[in-house]
Amino acid sequence: MRVLVVGSGGREHALCWALSASPLCDALFCAPGNAGIAEVATCLPTSAEDIAGLVALAKTEKIDFVVVGPEGPLVAGLVDKLKDAGIKAFGPSAQAARLEGSKGFMKDFFARHKIPTAAYGRFSEAGLAKAFITEKGAPIVVKADGLAAGKGVILCQSVAEAHAAIDSIMTEKTFGAAGNEVVVEEFLVGEEASFFAIVDGASALPLAAAQDHKAVGDGDTGPNTGGMGAYSPTPVVDEAMQARIMDEIILPTVRGMAQEGSPFIGVLFAGVMITKDGPKTLEFNVRFGDPECEVLMKRLKSDLLPALIAAVDGQLKNFDLRWHDETALTVIMAANGYPGTPQKGTVIGGLDAAAAIENVTVFHAGTKTEERDGKSVVVANGGRVLAVTAIGKDVREAQTRAYQGVDAIKWPGGFCRRDIGWRAVAREQKR
Ligand code: AMP
Ligand code: GLY
């Protein structure tokens, strides 16, 4: 089977790494890919946002199965267009992708189907949003309605800060059209986890939970990013909590989407706050998380491809996947300047030394190969650049190995957090 993965991040490298090991996969392509993906797949220079270009490419390359990584092309209808062209693709339709594409749609969906979430208001006028904030008081959360690369959420400790967030999103349009509407919601207190399930329109196969680290700095300080590191499994989602998340969040969503005429096929990713009153949904994403995908793929024992095909064919019921019991942990190395404007073009050394460490895999995100002084080198080409991923018998061992990998990489142009996994390490120490 000829398989095409769409995207160019660490998530897509991890997907390509897993898919390239499948006996069902005869040829693997990635558009546009990166320097690391080029080692396991043929990279083709079509952008993940170029919907018509991707459909044309899939036809030319006689692709049998497409796996779409990022949310942009899903929300823009890539899966629908591929289907029209007779090509099977894993991921939701544009209709179903609204779960991520519009926070207002998502919140109203939660309300219709009684899915636990933070209390909220939805506004398209700044004055009304501010009045609601004044009435509710702080702390409070302000969110741009549309896609804002994971940065459109502002946690406000005071009413003045929340009013300023409304001005920034709705008046100054910091996130462009994504800020035409806002959601203002209750501030939830608890520990956060990312929960993943593969869905075939009617049934859901739970994958695993992971914990992300969104803030740029150690100790969860500084502005939010797409994610600076992750580990899986996470002690905050034990078997009982997984069963609650499936029963209270995932399955009602799958049933609700089918009832409303937009059955969900793909990865359903619930951002969950584990509060003292149980799990509450912070958000849905309609794809694998990045960097969560890197740790999930490192832990997955079974072949990924048959599960993705079964989802598209509506055959997930009774499907089973096997996982390594060990913990996987990934540390993101980002280019200096991220999450602001990252510095591009700096040379990255030591990649082979890092990859040679036992149980360490270096997934690439924003990288490309360039000729410098007649030699081919890997250079930074984005904000998040590498996902140094390791597996170990517990979170401490995985963490030690991942940082051995990080320390083998010679890249003055980049930085990382030094505390990925701290919550789980603190729990292990308490025991
Ligand atoms: P979102 O993109 O909606 O998941 O929000 C990004 C991050 O903001 C989440 O991962 C949480 O850490 C935080 N967050 C979002 N909504 C809330 C909330 N209602 N209460 C507390 N924290 C929140
Ligand atoms: N790491 C969170 C996300 O992919 O949205």
Side-chain angles (χ1 to χ4, degrees):
M1 157 174 284
R2 296 167 70 80
V3 180
L4 168 68
V5 173
V6 174
S8 60
R11 165 182 50 213
E12 287 76 21
H13 190 183
L15 290 172
C16 285
W17 178 78
L19 292 169
S20 67
S22 171
L24 294 176
C25 181
D26 302 315
L28 184 61
F29 300 85
C30 186
N34 60 38
I37 294 176
E39 289 173 12
V40 291
T42 305
C43 292
L44 302 162
T46 308
S47 150
E49 306 297 324
D50 178 3
I51 306 297
L54 289 166
V55 175
L57 180 79
K59 283 188 193 158
T60 319
E61 295 295 340
K62 302 196 162 43
I63 300 295
D64 302 295
F65 194 73
V66 180
V67 180
V68 186
E71 62 278 16
L74 293 168
V75 172
L78 176 59
V79 169
D80 311 74
K81 295 274 165 42
L82 286 166
K83 204 169 161 193
D84 292 345
I87 300 164
K88 271 192 191 179
F90 177 79
S93 64
Q95 276 255 346
R98 282 179 304 163
L99 271 181
E100 175 166 0
S102 162
K103 291 200 190 293
F105 171 83
M106 172 186 81
K107 294 295 288 191
D108 291 350
F109 179 88
F110 290 160
R112 287 198 293 281
H113 297 281
K114 305 201 168 39
I115 293 165
T117 187
Y120 73 108
R122 194 180 165 180
F123 303 95
S124 51
E125 269 181 51
L128 295 176
K130 285 186 182 175
F132 182 79
I133 289 166
T134 308
E135 183 198 325
K136 295 287 173 194
I140 197 158
V141 183
V142 176
K143 302 184 174 186
D145 179 75
L147 294 181
K151 292 166 200 151
V153 172
I154 307 180
L155 307 177
C156 307
Q157 296 304 331
S158 69
V159 167
E161 218 180 297
H163 284 183
I166 296 290
D167 287 336
S168 155
I169 295 175
M170 301 192 85
T171 316
E172 292 152 29
K173 294 274 189 263
T174 311
F175 305 109
N180 290 346
E181 251 196 53
V182 292
V183 167
V184 179
E185 71 180 32
E186 170 197 4
F187 192 102
L188 295 174
V189 179
E191 192 167 334
E192 213 173 317
S194 305
F195 188 84
F196 298 87
I198 299 184
V199 180
D200 71 357
S203 313
L205 173 66
L207 295 179
Q211 201 162 43
D212 190 8
H213 299 61
K214 298 218 185 206
V216 72
D218 283 11
D220 292 329
T221 53
N224 265 358
T225 68
M228 292 300 290
Y231 63 96
S232 171
T234 165
V236 70
V237 181
D238 56 13
E239 256 178 60
M241 186 52 70
Q242 167 159 331
R244 280 193 72 175
I245 294 172
M246 284 301 288
D247 290 344
E248 295 173 29
I249 298 172
I250 302 291
L251 294 172
T253 301
V254 173
R255 284 194 295 268
M257 292 299 283
Q259 265 168 24
E260 295 188 6
S262 35
F264 187 93
I265 294 171
V267 174
L268 195 54
F269 161 5
V272 181
M273 188 73 90
I274 312 295
T275 72
K276 63 178 181 13
D277 305 320
K280 295 209 175 174
T281 323
L282 288 170
E283 64 164 349
F284 270 133
N285 297 302
V286 299
R287 50 170 175 85
F288 280 107
D290 193 351
E292 291 94 329
C293 187
E294 287 89 314
V295 288
L296 292 186
M297 290 307 115
K298 191 87 180 155
R299 279 190 62 215
L300 182 64
K301 242 193 226 174
S302 306
D303 186 354
L304 175 68
L305 188 51
L308 304 187
I309 296 171
V312 176
D313 291 343
Q315 302 290 329
L316 264 191
K317 207 169 176 211
N318 304 325
F319 206 95
D320 201 17
L321 284 173
R322 305 208 1 248
W323 299 87
H324 292 288
D325 291 331
E326 286 102 326
T327 297
L329 183 142
T330 189
V331 177
I332 293 290
M333 298 185 76
N336 292 340
Y338 180 76
T341 309
Q343 192 188 348
K344 287 192 182 177
T346 53
V347 176
I348 304 166
L351 287 164
D352 291 339
I357 299 169
E358 209 187 334
N359 295 307
V360 172
T361 308
V362 181
F363 294 119
H364 289 220
T367 65
K368 66 174 181 179
T369 347
E370 264 185 14
E371 290 290 317
R372 296 272 171 99
D373 306 325
K375 269 198 310 200
S376 171
V377 292
V378 173
V379 302
N381 189 38
R384 293 188 293 170
V385 173
L386 300 170
V388 184
T389 311
I391 197 155
K393 66 177 186 313
D394 55 24
V395 69
R396 285 178 75 97
E397 192 174 270
Q399 188 189 49
T400 303
R401 285 183 179 151
Y403 282 110
Q404 277 168 0
V406 165
D407 292 336
I409 288 168
K410 301 294 168 231
W411 182 33
F415 71 97
C416 67
R417 276 180 64 161
R418 298 297 312 190
D419 65 345
I420 300 305
W422 69 269
R423 282 200 170 81
V425 170
R427 273 177 199 247
E428 274 178 11
Q429 276 169 344
K430 254 196 246 157
R431 257 192 272 144

